[in-house]
Amino acid sequence: MIIDERIVTEAIASTFFDKFKSCLDLDVAIVGGGPSGLTAAWKLAEAGRKVALFERKLSVGGGMWGGGMTWTSIVVQEEAKSILEDAGVALIEYKPGYFVADSVAATAALAYQATRAGAQVFNCTSVEDVVLREVDGVKRVMGLVVNSSPVEIARLHVDPLVLHCKHAIECTGHDVEMLKTLVRKNGVKLNTPSGGIEGEQSMWADVAEANTVRYTREVFPGVWVAGMAANATYGSYRMGPIFGGMLLSGVKVAEAINELL
Ligand code: 48H
């Protein structure tokens, strides 16, 4: 076979733009491809939902690749063990109830399961704003405003593109970036005690893990928080490199949205 570079180029351009065009009206748009976002994408796509995940970096996985302090092991507790097992990840029980997985294997497995189930992943894509509409006096987020990450990094003045979704999931981790933008630009009140973002507290792994799941919920019409963003939004603690809460949060948000669709 003689390789024609123009066909390689055409294949990439045409399949990518078909993929992008197919995501202009989503059931669920996920912002951030860490463990919570990837798990939510996997479970929603598996349930047949039209779901896309937008990740600023070249690689999805967020803070999971590096384990603890770059030492590539992660810990999950009993309740979350089956999620990694279902993804095909090998676990060892280090001490009763504490399961250890290779962080690279776990991250790769979640990314594989999400894409295999049919979630579309747009890496190198930053969510810079939301689409907000007021219907019958109620404001609701109806979509995302996205831009190429290299445009953002180079601070080029290039306008973004827009897609619509029935639900958006804020999975940007510690920074709660999408929700911060929503509040800053629109002065809206969230479904939190203060109406704003409460902010993350210091280390308390036990409480933080439970709260990650507890605070996974709809925080504003059309916007759900999951993973570390749920903790930061509701003023809970950090937990270090135990990842069960992130995975369970991804499953919970997927199930809750699934019930509404
Ligand atoms: C597109 C964006 C944008 C944007 C950010 O931080 P993450 O891994 O998030 P979680 O919540 O799934 O997992 C948290 C976990 O990794 C962690 O940090 C833990 C357990 N910490 C404990 C502790 O004590 O420190 O992933 C978030 C992803 C990243 O990949 C970002 O690049 C991405 O979101 N992101 N993507 N548009 N505006 N902002």
Side-chain angles (χ1 to χ4, degrees), residues 146-205:
V146 301
N147 213 329
S148 156
S149 296
V151 162
E152 182 189 63
I153 292 160
R155 301 174 67 84
L156 302 177
H157 187 165
V158 178
D159 274 347
L161 294 172
V162 182
L163 56 105
H164 282 189
C165 58
K166 296 192 181 87
H167 299 272
I169 315 179
E170 156 63 91
C171 291
T172 67
H174 296 270
D175 293 340
V176 211
E177 205 177 298
M178 179 182 72
L179 214 50
K180 275 191 185 147
T181 304
L182 170 69
V183 171
R184 176 175 53 80
K185 293 188 86 166
N186 305 289
V188 295
K189 291 262 179 272
L190 305 175
N191 173 23
T192 60
S194 70
I197 293 161
E198 308 296 344
E200 183 186 298
Q201 297 192 63
S202 295
M203 182 73 74
W204 189 354

Side-chain angles (χ1 to χ4, degrees), residues 4-203:
D4 183 333
E5 302 90 346
R6 295 164 304 172
I7 296 176
V8 175
T9 302
E10 186 192 304
I12 289 170
S14 92
T15 54
F16 178 80
F17 289 113
D18 282 349
K19 176 166 102 164
F20 196 83
K21 282 190 287 180
S22 79
C23 291
L24 296 183
D25 264 304
L26 294 164
D27 288 328
V28 187
I30 299 173
V31 187
S36 63
L38 285 173
T39 307
W42 169 23
K43 295 297 166 185
L44 282 158
E46 201 173 56
R49 304 305 177 191
K50 200 167 159 191
V51 48
L53 182 154
F54 299 88
E55 166 55 51
R56 166 178 287 142
K57 295 194 177 141
L58 186 55
S59 60
V60 290
M64 198 152 93
W65 295 108
M69 213 179 82
T70 76
W71 303 346
T72 49
S73 291
I74 56 163
V75 173
V76 296
Q77 57 276 56
E78 179 82 47
E79 298 90 316
K81 168 182 167 251
S82 66
I83 301 172
L84 286 184
E85 281 173 343
D86 289 350
V89 179
L91 293 152
I92 54 154
E93 190 165 19
Y94 178 71
K95 288 211 168 155
Y98 293 79
F99 295 87
V100 176
D102 181 278
S103 65
V104 174
T107 311
L110 291 180
Y112 174 63
Q113 294 299 344
T115 50
R116 194 176 77 127
Q120 303 288 3
V121 173
F122 295 94
N123 58 344
C124 257
T125 306
S126 290
V127 174
E128 63 169 59
D129 208 340
V130 296
V131 179
L132 193 63
R133 294 275 193 279
E134 188 168 329
V135 181
D136 299 330
V138 179
K139 286 189 173 157
R140 183 179 178 88
V141 167
M142 312 266 300
L144 301 180
V145 177
V146 301
N147 213 329
S148 156
S149 296
V151 162
E152 182 189 63
I153 292 160
R155 301 174 67 84
L156 302 177
H157 187 165
V158 178
D159 274 347
L161 294 172
V162 182
L163 56 105
H164 282 189
C165 58
K166 296 192 181 87
H167 299 272
I169 315 179
E170 156 63 91
C171 291
T172 67
H174 296 270
D175 293 340
V176 211
E177 205 177 298
M178 179 182 72
L179 214 50
K180 275 191 185 147
T181 304
L182 170 69
V183 171
R184 176 175 53 80
K185 293 188 86 166
N186 305 289
V188 295
K189 291 262 179 272
L190 305 175
N191 173 23
T192 60
S194 70
I197 293 161
E198 308 296 344
E200 183 186 298
Q201 297 192 63
S202 295
M203 182 73 74

